[in-house]
């Protein structure tokens, strides 16, 4: 099952790393602040959140970065993030 988070309304107020946590929280039916150890894996254990946020952030001169894609596994979900800020989750197969 897939879940996508459209960042168009929140791009200026939330970080990409928060959007990943929020997408997992929505899927799990919990508040984003509940996505923490020991019940859930820490995002820091999988990827550096600051680096993730910077990867697709505008350059210092305000220009957009080139498009790209990052994929990783987090709390049982295969996470795909694209350069336009879309976060997609797919449940990992056992």
């Amino acid at each position: 099952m897939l879940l996508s988070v459209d960042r168009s309304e929140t791009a200026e107020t939330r970080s990409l790393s928060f959007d990943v946590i929020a997408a997992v929280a929505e899927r799990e039916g919990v508040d984003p602040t509940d996505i923490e150890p020991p019940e859930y894996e820490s995002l820091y254990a999988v990827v550096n959140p600051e680096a993730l946020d910077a990867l697709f952030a505008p350059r210092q001169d305000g220009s957009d970065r080139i498009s790209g894609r990052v994929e990783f596994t987090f709390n049982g979900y295969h996470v795909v993030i694209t350069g336009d800020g879309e976060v997609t989750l797919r449940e990992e197969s056992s």
Side-chain angles (χ1 to χ4, degrees):
M1 178 176 239
L2 294 175
L3 170 73
S4 294
V5 175
D6 178 10
R7 297 182 67 232
S8 60
E9 294 179 15
T10 60
E12 298 301 317
T13 59
R14 293 193 337 195
S15 67
L16 189 55
S17 57
F18 181 83
D19 286 344
V20 170
I21 293 168
V24 170
E26 181 177 327
R27 220 25 215 284
E28 294 289 309
V30 299
D31 190 84
T33 60
D34 293 333
I35 304 295
E36 61 181 34
E39 188 172 349
Y40 293 95
E41 181 177 32
S42 167
L43 186 59
Y44 282 101
V46 178
V47 66
N48 181 318
E50 290 85 10
L52 181 63
D53 293 341
L55 188 60
F56 297 117
R59 297 172 192 248
Q60 286 188 343
D61 68 2
S63 64
D64 289 335
R65 296 197 185 266
I66 58 172
S67 63
R69 173 185 184 120
V70 173
E71 299 183 36
F72 55 91
T73 301
F74 178 55
N75 285 308
Y77 297 98
H78 181 81
V79 180
V80 178
I81 303 169
T82 58
D84 62 359
E86 182 179 7
V87 176
T88 304
L89 300 180
R90 185 181 71 230
E91 287 185 37
E92 282 289 300
S93 306
S94 299

